[in-house]
Amino acid sequence: MRQPPPSRPPLASTRRTFLRRSILAATAAVAGPSLLAACGRRAPDSGATGERRLVISNYPIYIDPSEDGVPGSVERFSKQTGIAVTYREDLNDAQTFFAKVQPDLAAGRPIAQDLVVVPYWLAERLIRLGWVEALPLEQVPNARNLMPSLRNPSWDPQQRHSLPWQSGIAGIAYNLEVTGRELKGVDDLFASDLRGKVGFLTEMRDTLGLLMLADGQDISRPTWDTAQASFDRMQKARESGQIRAFTGNDYQDDLLAGNFAACIAWSGDVAQLVLEQPKLRFLVPETGGVLWADVMVMPRGARNRQAVAEWLNWVYDPENAARIAASVQYISPVQGVQEILAADPATKALATNPQMFPDAAMQQRLRVFGPLSSEEEARFDERFARISQA
Amino acid sequence: MSASPASVRPERRRPMGPGGRRRWLPWALLAPGLLLLLLLYVLPLGALIPLSLSEQLDRFSLRTVFTGRIQTYGEVIALYGPVLGRSLRFAAASTGLGLLIAYPLAWTIAFRGGRWKAALLGLVVLPFFTSYLVRAIAWTTLLADRGPVLALLHGLGLIAPLQHLGVLVDGRLLNTPAAVIGGLTYNSLPFLVLPLVVAMERIDPLLLDAAADLYASPLRRFLRVEWPLSQPGLVSGVLLSLIPAAGDVVNPRFLGGPNERMIAGAIENLLLVQRQAPQASALTLLLMLLISVTAALLLRGRKLQELPLP
């Protein structure tokens, strides 16, 4: 089931990567939860005497791979700690992943993974359901390197159950070749000259959040009432043919191909895509951008707590975090990464990239989409699905 | 998915009459297939009936309580009726379009193929050696706004007339109804061509000679002999094309936009995103019912041995 990570140059991405990504996403979308059910559950470790192990699930292409004889992070961690890591890139879609692990977790059975990277809102759901355990943070001294702005988030106020993997910004990407003009903000997505060339994300919080910010709403405390105007605007745009598609990760292909003049997009992706298509731009609207985080959580019943602690401590070491950041180009949650990147001529340019290291002015604009109760989330999901799916 | 039972060779050939000693034999040969159908189709479908009449205790548990709530059906018809209607329309349109292409193609292969028949049939099936998913993604590249197909149409000056006909929307081909129907047509073509070729090959050439002897023009010969005798192939082709098209996931997802969604995507979203298992079950059963009724209508009054199913 596990595939070797794709080799790719550290600062460039290839078409192959995108194709692979969209095929993976498509496969997951089509096959649904059954796709990965084949990955059977492991027998528990034979106590402390046996080989030490760690099983991690993450999104594809979200860590530096081993290539050209240079070992990637997973390999280096294994060498340094003697822990055998099974690193699966089997997360494509958080909703599908949830559907897959739900039967076991709901019944109180452990799943194969010791650690899973999920979007913060899913972490919040898992925490609320009691399906994740408190992380062994007392054994993670490097956790103090966590950026202050990411500490004690609304989805985990005590900072006990989750630790960020990477964060990023949902903003607007556009292709100057197609738009023929610079864009300023969310209103441009509804401009008549871009009709049928605008992409929205299926990730509800990013799409709705950006529109709500443009409406002057406080997205840190979203309510059904404050969201209606934005939902209505979205629905009108969909019905009139303004929106060409609601996509997941595959928006990148449409952006590169020129099918999208503009779309809601994620910062790290655009930072990489611009190397391939210099006419691409990414903007965080004046009205605000949506800051999100993918976080590491430990599913209930995880067998290798000690290995989890060592992994967390290792990836929160600034040196190690800098390597990962240079490869994936998202916002690293670890303090000290910027200085390390600035010190190396090869990565110097990244250290001044505002999408990787938001400055004070940028930070002022960023907001996190707040938690929704289960009932609210159901209503939001249903309305969003009717706009994007039906 | 077909199970091929091991062939059983009787030692002595005897006609099997009623009361014959080997009346169990056909059942034995049918058993693997029937068992498979029962286990993988009938039972799961049956299990959906109580689920569609249940209510979920809460959104994130899998436990449901049977309450006999029939209103769920009304709700999904109200919410997803238009999507269901669109799915059937797209499926019908792609099958109709497919027939327009497949009929002359099959006729040529069957009656004019000569020694190239096998090669021509191979060509029809050739695209199916690549994955269904990869083909849909490849179409997104071909139909892209700056892709080769639009460039060709532009060069031929066809953009304005096609826009007028509604094939192009806002000057684009990708993420339009036309692209989805085209993708569905492309997928169903072999399923239409193969049964038609088989049906046409069964036509006795003597009948065609007789028609010619009786001064029938080629057109008349086609209308009075070839067309009626190829009907069984038409029926099985339509069945094999219409049913998968109505439940297709991939084409609307990659070639359509939010106004071209089809029912399978809606069911998937209900189950995995909105987590409404009863609604998803009700919608699935409605789709199955519609498809079964359609198939029954198509097969009405036909003997199965007439159908040249490949």
Side-chain angles (χ1 to χ4, degrees), chain A residues 32-209:
Chain A
S34 61
L35 174 71
L36 301 161
C39 302
R41 218 172 295 124
R42 262 181 322 112
D45 285 354
S46 49
T49 51
E51 188 191 26
R52 300 203 304 148
R53 290 198 189 139
L54 180 62
V55 183
I56 300 174
S57 268
N58 200 346
Y59 287 91
I61 346 179
Y62 212 15
I63 195 166
D64 54 320
S66 298
E67 58 188 2
D68 308 330
V70 181
S73 282
V74 174
E75 199 180 324
R76 286 167 48 240
F77 171 77
S78 283
K79 272 210 187 75
Q80 289 173 26
T81 59
I83 294 170
V85 183
T86 306
Y87 184 87
R88 298 179 177 174
E89 296 188 316
D90 59 358
L91 243 104
N92 284 298
D93 174 298
Q95 304 270 19
T96 311
F97 173 79
F98 180 81
K100 180 184 140 239
V101 297
Q102 183 188 17
D104 280 337
L105 291 175
R109 291 187 296 262
I111 56 172
Q113 293 91 338
D114 300 302
L115 199 67
V116 183
V117 175
V118 293
Y120 71 96
W121 56 264
L122 184 55
E124 191 263 335
R125 180 192 293 178
L126 293 167
I127 292 166
R128 182 156 30 97
L129 290 165
W131 292 358
V132 292
E133 293 190 11
L135 294 172
L137 292 175
E138 65 286 352
Q139 299 173 57
V140 185
N142 284 339
R144 66 172 182 271
N145 297 330
L146 176 61
M147 290 270 186
S149 57
L150 289 165
R151 285 178 198 171
N152 305 88
S154 58
W155 63 87
D156 187 14
Q158 310 278 314
Q159 192 77 65
R160 286 178 49 211
H161 295 89
S162 69
L163 210 50
W165 171 249
Q166 302 288 317
S167 343
I169 307 163
I172 295 171
Y174 59 100
N175 185 335
L176 261 178
E177 267 182 15
V178 187
T179 58
R181 62 186 176 93
E182 296 286 356
L183 303 190
K184 288 194 184 63
V186 173
D187 288 353
D188 285 310
L189 297 173
F190 299 88
S192 55
D193 63 323
L194 304 186
R195 198 183 126 92
K197 288 190 158 289
V198 175
F200 277 13
L201 287 170
T202 48
E203 191 62 61
M204 180 185 75
R205 287 159 182 84
D206 294 337
T207 298
L208 182 67

Side-chain angles (χ1 to χ4, degrees), chain B residues 222-293:
Chain B
F222 172 79
L223 289 174
R224 303 297 298 270
V225 182
E226 291 160 3
W227 170 257
L229 287 176
S230 62
Q231 288 303 293
L234 192 76
V235 171
S236 46
V238 167
L239 268 182
L240 290 171
S241 150
L242 200 65
I243 295 170
D248 191 74
V249 183
V250 168
N251 285 295
R253 180 182 221 102
F254 288 98
L255 304 177
N259 294 315
E260 286 84 41
R261 289 268 174 255
M262 285 169 70
I263 199 68
I267 293 172
E268 180 204 28
N269 183 274
L270 267 174
L271 195 63
L272 296 183
V273 178
Q274 300 182 57
R275 320 201 50 75
Q276 297 278 1
Q279 289 194 356
S281 311
L283 203 49
T284 305
L285 288 166
L286 285 172
L287 177 67
M288 286 293 182
L289 187 72
L290 278 171
I291 285 176
S292 307
V293 168

Side-chain angles (χ1 to χ4, degrees), chain B:
Chain B
M1 284 293 291
S2 66
S4 53
S7 67
V8 182
R9 290 185 68 104
E11 329 75 80
R12 281 176 307 173
R13 300 185 51 172
R14 261 199 348 209
M16 281 206 302
R21 276 187 307 155
R22 287 202 303 275
R23 254 191 319 184
W24 53 267
L25 185 62
W27 289 107
L29 293 175
L30 277 174
L34 286 176
L35 193 68
L36 212 64
L37 265 180
L38 185 73
L39 285 179
L40 298 180
Y41 182 72
V42 179
L43 288 178
L45 208 58
L48 288 184
I49 297 170
L51 183 56
S52 69
L53 298 167
S54 304
E55 284 181 68
Q56 259 167 308
L57 286 176
D58 75 83
R59 196 157 169 249
F60 304 120
S61 86
L62 295 169
R63 290 182 304 156
T64 52
V65 180
F66 183 84
T67 52
R69 190 175 185 277
I70 201 90
Q71 295 94 311
T72 305
Y73 281 86
E75 286 163 9
V76 296
I77 289 172
L79 281 175
Y80 293 98
V83 186
L84 202 53
R86 181 192 299 144
S87 305
L88 295 175
R89 278 200 311 278
F90 280 8
S94 68
T95 303
L97 191 63
L99 277 177
L100 288 180
I101 301 167
Y103 216 96
L105 191 61
W107 189 89
T108 310
I109 292 173
F111 294 115
R112 299 279 182 274
R115 59 203 179 95
W116 297 104
K117 205 176 278 184
L120 289 170
L121 278 176
L123 281 178
V124 169
V125 185
L126 191 64
F128 284 70
F129 286 88
T130 49
S131 144
Y132 165 59
L133 204 55
V134 172
R135 273 182 285 132
I137 293 172
W139 274 115
T140 62
T141 309
L142 292 171
L143 301 177
D145 291 17
R146 301 172 170 207
V149 176
L150 265 188
L152 180 72
L153 294 176
H154 202 79
L156 297 170
L158 287 173
I159 298 285
L162 286 175
Q163 175 90 22
H164 194 72
L165 285 170
V167 174
L168 295 175
V169 179
D170 292 328
R172 70 169 195 265
L173 200 49
L174 189 60
N175 309 111
T176 62
V180 178
I181 292 169
L184 293 171
T185 306
Y186 175 69
N187 272 328
S188 61
L189 210 52
F191 298 108
L192 288 165
V193 172
L194 295 175
L196 278 171
V197 170
V198 174
M200 288 176 187
E201 285 196 312
R202 285 188 186 179
I203 298 172
D204 191 339
L206 288 175
L207 293 174
L208 301 179
D209 290 345
D213 281 348
L214 295 166
Y215 298 103
S217 65
L219 177 71
R220 204 173 154 80
R221 193 178 63 186
F222 172 79
L223 289 174
R224 303 297 298 270
V225 182
E226 291 160 3
W227 170 257
L229 287 176
S230 62
Q231 288 303 293
L234 192 76
V235 171
S236 46
V238 167
L239 268 182
L240 290 171
S241 150
L242 200 65
I243 295 170
D248 191 74
V249 183
V250 168
N251 285 295
R253 180 182 221 102
F254 288 98
L255 304 177
N259 294 315
E260 286 84 41
R261 289 268 174 255
M262 285 169 70
I263 199 68
I267 293 172
E268 180 204 28
N269 183 274
L270 267 174
L271 195 63
L272 296 183
V273 178
Q274 300 182 57
R275 320 201 50 75
Q276 297 278 1
Q279 289 194 356
S281 311
L283 203 49
T284 305
L285 288 166
L286 285 172
L287 177 67
M288 286 293 182
L289 187 72
L290 278 171
I291 285 176
S292 307
V293 168
T294 314
L297 286 175
L298 280 166
L299 293 171
R300 205 178 37 169
R302 292 191 179 273
K303 295 191 186 67
L304 272 181
Q305 62 264 33
E306 281 182 13
L307 293 181
L309 292 163

Side-chain angles (χ1 to χ4, degrees), chain A residues 183-326:
Chain A
L183 303 190
K184 288 194 184 63
V186 173
D187 288 353
D188 285 310
L189 297 173
F190 299 88
S192 55
D193 63 323
L194 304 186
R195 198 183 126 92
K197 288 190 158 289
V198 175
F200 277 13
L201 287 170
T202 48
E203 191 62 61
M204 180 185 75
R205 287 159 182 84
D206 294 337
T207 298
L208 182 67
L210 216 55
L211 267 59
M212 282 176 73
L213 285 168
D215 279 342
Q217 301 292 354
D218 174 13
I219 65 166
S220 64
R221 280 193 298 277
T223 67
W224 179 245
D225 292 333
T226 54
Q228 287 319 297
S230 305
F231 269 136
D232 292 344
R233 193 180 189 189
M234 208 189 296
Q235 185 164 349
K236 275 202 196 73
R238 183 221 124 162
E239 286 164 359
S240 72
Q242 179 75 16
I243 303 173
R244 182 184 186 123
F246 283 83
T247 62
N249 241 333
D250 40 335
Y251 74 87
Q252 308 165 345
D253 298 320
D254 284 312
L255 195 58
L256 282 170
N259 296 331
F260 286 165
C263 62
I264 296 175
W266 295 312
S267 54
D269 292 341
V270 180
Q272 293 173 49
L273 294 177
V274 81
L275 300 164
E276 205 165 331
Q277 163 57 286
K279 291 282 188 185
L280 292 185
R281 298 286 179 272
F282 182 78
L283 74 92
V284 178
E286 298 270 333
T287 49
V290 182
L291 179 69
W292 49 260
D294 286 337
V295 302
M296 297 179 275
V297 293
M298 188 163 73
R300 190 167 62 184
R303 299 175 186 77
N304 303 306
R305 293 178 61 87
Q306 180 59 35
V308 167
E310 289 182 45
W311 169 263
L312 295 176
N313 202 46
W314 196 88
V315 296
Y316 264 75
D317 175 276
E319 287 286 345
N320 298 328
R323 282 192 181 226
I324 295 169

